[in-house]
Amino acid sequence: MKKLINAPEHVVAEALEGMAFAHADLIRVNRDPDFIARADAPVRGKVALVSGGGSGHEPMHGGFVGRGMLDAACPGAVFTSPTPDQMLEATKAVDGGVGVLHIVKNYTGDVLNFEMAADLAREEGIDVHAVVIDDDVAVKDSLYTAGRRGVGATVLAEKICGGMAEAGAPVDHVVDLCRAVNGAARSMGLALTPCTVPHAGKPSFDLAEGEMEFGIGIHGEPGRRRMKLEPADRIAEMLMEPILEDLPFRRGDDILLFVNGMGGTPLIELYVVYRAAEAIAAKHGLAVSCRLVGSYMTSLDMAGVSITALRLDDTMRKGWDAPVITPALRWGG
């Protein structure tokens, strides 16, 4: 194992310290319990968005804390859910008095711990709502979930709902919008190599040189099948076809197309995949009007790619176009 770390047990703490130094103008980092909050939180009169999950998926979620996206993020240990006390304290720290939305990826630990934190926050008089993201079409159940996994739509929900919350939308509107984004998005991923968790010191699964894992999860969970490595155009087709069939998308739909790297994938390769993905969308009569290419939801050093397609409406587009200033994303404004 070759990693730029000091000791596995200190990775998350030292990364948080690095974020605090690097982005002091945008965020503040709380320790014991760990969470990342907007530097100006709480913003009075604004719906607050809180998310979180295991570390190792950066820039998810801490990189999306700031104006126009999340108000707080709770980082757990690598690939391990944050604890209810982290979520509760983060919620209290960013509550602006008009409601808090928890955006929760559908992993069992995340769901249970966010539910407990929401109950505790409500006992303290905070109006907390939760939306569970479950956009992965690869498998119905996995090692970590009951039902579909939450993957790329989480990034889109945080951006779109964050933009509308920043514009002053009421909590019911933001919650309904988050549910709509989840309902209109579908994703699937693929791994070319496994990832190496620092505490384990070895790859999380075995994958031969000429193989790929189709339908992989962001923690290295098995997907639909293991198969021979295919060219990029074929990989894009294998990911896009189940996505478009599952919703199903209709000719003439306006969509957002998101090609995401898993952490160890060069950007040049992501653009090769994106080229094919947009051509497939066009073949199906879909109009791609919003695009995102890059590594926004990763799995440590895993090489691979995921694709997310979102059927847009006018409100989603307004949230997507809203200005955002976070450590990982800066556009508009």
Side-chain angles (χ1 to χ4, degrees), residues 112-127:
L112 292 176
N113 288 349
F114 265 108
E115 284 179 352
M116 185 178 298
D119 287 343
L120 293 170
R122 292 184 189 111
E123 290 178 4
E124 299 194 28
I126 301 174
D127 181 23

Side-chain angles (χ1 to χ4, degrees), residues 144-162:
Y144 292 76
T145 67
R148 293 182 169 186
R149 302 175 293 214
V151 285
T154 318
V155 179
L156 307 184
E158 291 175 359
K159 171 66 186 77
I160 291 169
C161 297

Side-chain angles (χ1 to χ4, degrees), residues 197-248:
V197 177
H199 279 84
K202 61 181 180 180
S204 55
F205 58 93
D206 295 320
L207 196 57
E209 185 67 25
E211 291 182 329
M212 60 185 187
E213 183 84 21
F214 177 64
I216 197 72
I218 58 173
H219 306 96
E221 309 99 308
R224 289 188 174 185
R225 63 186 182 273
R226 186 165 295 185
M227 56 191 300
K228 177 184 173 183
L229 181 65
E230 296 280 357
D233 285 0
R234 176 59 181 150
I235 287 172
E237 182 180 28
M238 292 171 62
L239 295 175
M240 283 288 287
E241 293 298 339
I243 288 170
L244 298 181
E245 291 169 1
D246 191 89
L247 195 50

